[in-house]
């Protein structure tokens, strides 16, 4: 697997599963990392652990199915709805997710020789507080410029494998 160029992975797609409620699943239609974040994520996947230098990533674009919007946005606001009222909280408490995603990765020196890979991210959060949100007509929601944080989780929480 050393000939895989993980730092050149294409867009990712798959599922997010809430770590606090495993039945809360979000379909990720597209997750596009900026160049520096691809390099950081490749380093995490190659070593299987997060480090301080590699845990903060930036998603240029993040598109999910509209049905997952409430799950992704839970805990993202300082305002919490209780019954018919809103209560101001002390801070945001974003949902932590496990991600199982798929992407295409160049194999060897030929950039046209692509292989499909599964990428597992064991514990991530998204910060939607400053990003742009667009509701798309095709039952999807697009977020732009989304910070994503990788957290330590378990000994097998950050991995990749070639899909055959």
């Amino acid at each position: 697997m050393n000939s895989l160029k993980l730092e050149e992975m294409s867009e990712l797609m798959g599922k997010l599963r809430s770590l606090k409620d495993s039945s809360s699943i979000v379909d990720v239609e597209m997750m596009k990392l900026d160049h520096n974040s691809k390099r950081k994520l490749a380093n995490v996947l190659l070593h299987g652990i997060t480090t301080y230098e590699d845990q903060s990533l930036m998603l240029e674009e993040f598109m999910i199915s509209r049905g997952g919007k409430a799950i992704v946005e839970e805990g993202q606001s300082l305002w919490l709805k209780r019954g018919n009222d809103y209560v101001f909280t002390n801070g945001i408490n974003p949902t932590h997710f496990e991600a199982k995603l798929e992407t295409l990765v160049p194999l060897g020196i030929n950039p046209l020789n692509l292989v499909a890979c599964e990428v597992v991210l064991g514990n991530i959060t998204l910060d939607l507080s400053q990003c742009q949100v667009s509701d798309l007509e095709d039952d999807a929601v697009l977020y732009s410029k989304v910070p994503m944080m990788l957290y330590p989780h378990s000994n097998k929480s950050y991995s990749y494998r070639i899909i055959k």
Side-chain angles (χ1 to χ4, degrees):
M1 285 198 209
N2 291 338
S3 61
L4 280 178
K5 296 191 176 213
L6 287 170
E7 68 279 359
E8 296 178 25
M9 70 182 77
S10 64
E11 297 170 353
L12 299 127
M13 55 195 238
K15 298 197 180 296
L16 298 179
R17 183 182 56 83
S18 170
L19 291 178
K20 72 177 180 180
D21 175 13
S22 61
S23 64
S24 296
I25 297 175
V26 177
D27 290 324
V28 177
E29 296 182 19
M30 185 258 303
M31 184 183 282
K32 184 178 179 183
L33 295 158
D34 70 10
H35 178 72
N36 191 38
S37 295
K38 286 182 185 181
R39 182 189 54 75
K40 289 179 178 183
L41 182 56
N43 193 42
V44 168
L45 293 172
L46 288 170
H47 296 95
I49 59 169
T50 60
T51 62
Y52 176 76
E53 295 82 18
D54 293 332
Q55 75 181 102
S56 180
L57 308 179
M58 177 61 71
L59 302 177
E60 289 180 359
E61 294 180 322
F62 175 61
M63 186 173 19
I64 61 170
S65 62
R66 191 176 320 272
K69 184 176 181 180
I71 297 168
V72 169
E73 292 182 356
E74 181 181 342
Q76 294 283 336
S77 174
L78 293 174
W79 293 98
L80 179 65
K81 186 171 183 175
R82 288 203 178 135
N84 293 332
D85 297 325
Y86 284 90
V87 178
F88 191 71
T89 63
N90 291 332
I92 65 169
N93 186 21
T95 301
H96 286 248
F97 294 99
E98 175 187 45
K100 287 196 178 182
L101 307 164
E102 294 179 1
T103 187
L104 295 175
V105 179
L107 177 65
I109 59 172
N110 183 354
L112 299 177
N113 189 10
L114 301 173
V115 294
C117 283
E118 178 185 67
V119 172
V120 177
L121 308 177
N123 186 357
I124 65 170
T125 60
L126 303 166
D127 180 0
L128 305 176
S129 63
Q130 302 294 318
C131 70
Q132 298 174 333
V133 182
S134 304
D135 287 320
L136 305 176
E137 290 181 16
D138 59 349
D139 202 32
V141 181
L142 178 66
Y143 301 89
S144 301
K145 303 295 181 199
V146 179
M148 181 170 79
M149 186 68 74
L150 308 177
Y151 293 94
H153 187 54
S154 71
N155 60 355
K156 62 175 187 158
S157 63
Y158 295 92
S159 63
Y160 70 97
R161 69 178 179 89
I162 295 175
I163 302 170
K164 295 189 178 196

